[in-house]
Amino acid sequence: MVSLKTEIGSISLERPGIVASGIMDETGPSMVRMIESGAGAVVTKSVGLEPNAGHANPCFTEVSGGYVNAMGLPNPGIELFKEEMDVAVPKGKIVGSIYGAGPEDFSKLAGRMEDYGACAVELNLSCPHAKGYGMEVGTDPAMVKAIVSAVKSAVSIPVWAKLTPNTHILGDIGMAVQDAGGDAVVAINTLKAMVICPEIGRPLLSNKFGGLSGAAVKPVGVRAVYDLRTVLDIPIVGVGGIETWRDAAEYIMAGASAFQVGSAIGTVGTDVFARINDGLSSFMEEYGYSSIADMTGVAHD
Ligand code: DHB
């Protein structure tokens, strides 16, 4: 019998697909809808200490193979986000994504997410275009170590770190997470990108730069997970361009114990998790894999 159950350290999921931060996870009802659509868990949109309006429009555009966005981390702030968590937490496993400028911000936010009933926190160390946040703190291994250590001391729920592909020292950053006691790494966040509108002769997005997501980034993500698996012992959650069961299988074979889907909720629809679950089960049945753990990392020799 094939089982889609999986473990990310101490967290058990009935199904291996998780909603990635940033899409259908800004509100309690949207998170509930995704749990009911076959997701094994949902990661919230990243939340900070204070309410944040985000960037002016245009902040989102479609490109070949994906989307480029610079929303600007819009969120109601951790205080108000309790209302959304109160709706979502009774219905499924919710991972609280948080962003901050350093160890103190992240620790405070993680403590609140734990109080709200999050099953884990995901540290956004990887937004590609936020001044003083995201990738700016997440590409310095010493800073990453300090943030993860501080959060580990502040909470007892598992701590996941979402990493950026916009670096040549991904392995060092992953090691910093592991050395600091991090429970898992999540790879990858979006690739720093730009779209120029020829008619206006200017970058299209109000923020000029944004993050590329969707099918175009999948081979980068698979490579990143493969590289991380060669140096890390902690679990990896794969994310980036997954639309079908084949994409999910690639990430699992590269070394992921679970995977996240973001852009494909837009391009395929909210039934993307149900489709991936069906396809994965059939593939595993046919090719003799009895569990996700059985398939994890098989691409390494
Ligand atoms: C935003 C945040 C991200 O982490 C990302 O990858 C892309 C966009 C944002 O809110 O702007």
Side-chain angles (χ1 to χ4, degrees):
M1 246 320 258
V2 165
S3 165
L4 287 182
K5 273 193 179 171
T6 191
E7 267 92 49
I8 307 150
S10 60
I11 297 192
S12 285
L13 300 182
E14 288 300 313
R15 298 171 298 279
I18 304 171
V19 176
S21 180
I23 182 161
M24 289 297 282
D25 46 21
E26 300 89 342
T27 69
S30 61
M31 292 192 263
V32 172
R33 181 168 166 200
M34 292 316 301
I35 293 281
E36 288 170 354
S37 302
V42 176
V43 185
T44 69
K45 175 69 183 167
S46 297
V47 180
L49 285 173
E50 300 300 332
N52 180 27
H55 294 315
N57 280 326
C59 55
F60 181 91
T61 188
E62 200 166 349
V63 294
S64 317
Y67 302 125
V68 176
N69 87 86
M71 310 306 290
L73 296 164
N75 76 100
I78 194 69
E79 207 67 52
L80 275 179
F81 202 69
K82 179 176 189 305
E83 287 175 29
E84 313 306 332
M85 295 294 280
D86 283 348
V87 173
V89 164
K91 303 290 185 179
K93 294 211 157 107
I94 309 297
V95 177
S97 172
I98 53 180
Y99 72 90
E104 212 178 307
D105 290 1
F106 276 101
S107 302
K108 279 190 205 152
L109 289 160
R112 298 303 296 272
M113 283 294 190
E114 182 172 41
D115 293 344
Y116 297 167
C119 69
V121 282
E122 182 181 279
L123 313 180
N124 183 341
L125 300 174
S126 41
C127 175
H129 54 73
K131 269 259 147 297
Y133 298 111
M135 174 179 129
E136 287 194 9
V137 292
T139 47
D140 171 3
M143 179 58 118
V144 168
K145 201 167 172 180
I147 291 170
V148 175
S149 300
V151 175
K152 282 299 290 179
S153 310
V155 297
S156 48
I157 52 176
V159 177
W160 300 357
K162 187 167 180 181
L163 306 185
T164 179
N166 303 300
T167 175
H168 63 285
I169 54 164
L170 182 65
D172 296 343
I173 298 167
M175 280 306 291
V177 174
Q178 179 168 296
D179 289 347
D183 297 276
V185 293
V186 181
I188 55 173
N189 205 320
T190 51
L191 277 72
K192 189 171 182 179
M194 177 181 275
V195 174
I196 291 175
C197 177
E199 288 78 11
I200 59 172
R202 291 277 183 284
L204 180 76
L205 298 179
S206 70
N207 185 59
K208 298 191 175 79
F209 303 99
L212 172 68
S213 63
V217 311
K218 190 192 69 181
V220 179
V222 170
R223 181 274 301 165
V225 169
Y226 189 96
D227 277 351
L228 286 164
R229 185 73 289 154
T230 62
V231 292
L232 298 184
D233 299 317
I234 57 176
I236 302 170
V237 178
V239 51
I242 296 174
E243 293 185 329
T244 66
W245 69 264
R246 293 188 71 89
D247 303 329
E250 282 194 60
Y251 272 97
I252 294 166
M253 290 180 169
S257 303
F259 58 89
Q260 298 181 353
V261 178
S263 299
I265 298 172
T267 55
V268 177
T270 50
D271 61 346
V272 63
F273 288 96
R275 288 168 181 263
I276 291 175
N277 292 341
D278 284 354
L280 259 187
S281 297
S282 305
F283 169 74
M284 289 164 69
E285 187 92 52
E286 190 176 342
Y287 281 79
Y289 294 107
S290 59
S291 67
I292 299 293
D294 236 19
M295 217 189 340
T296 296
V298 298
H300 296 257
D301 43 32

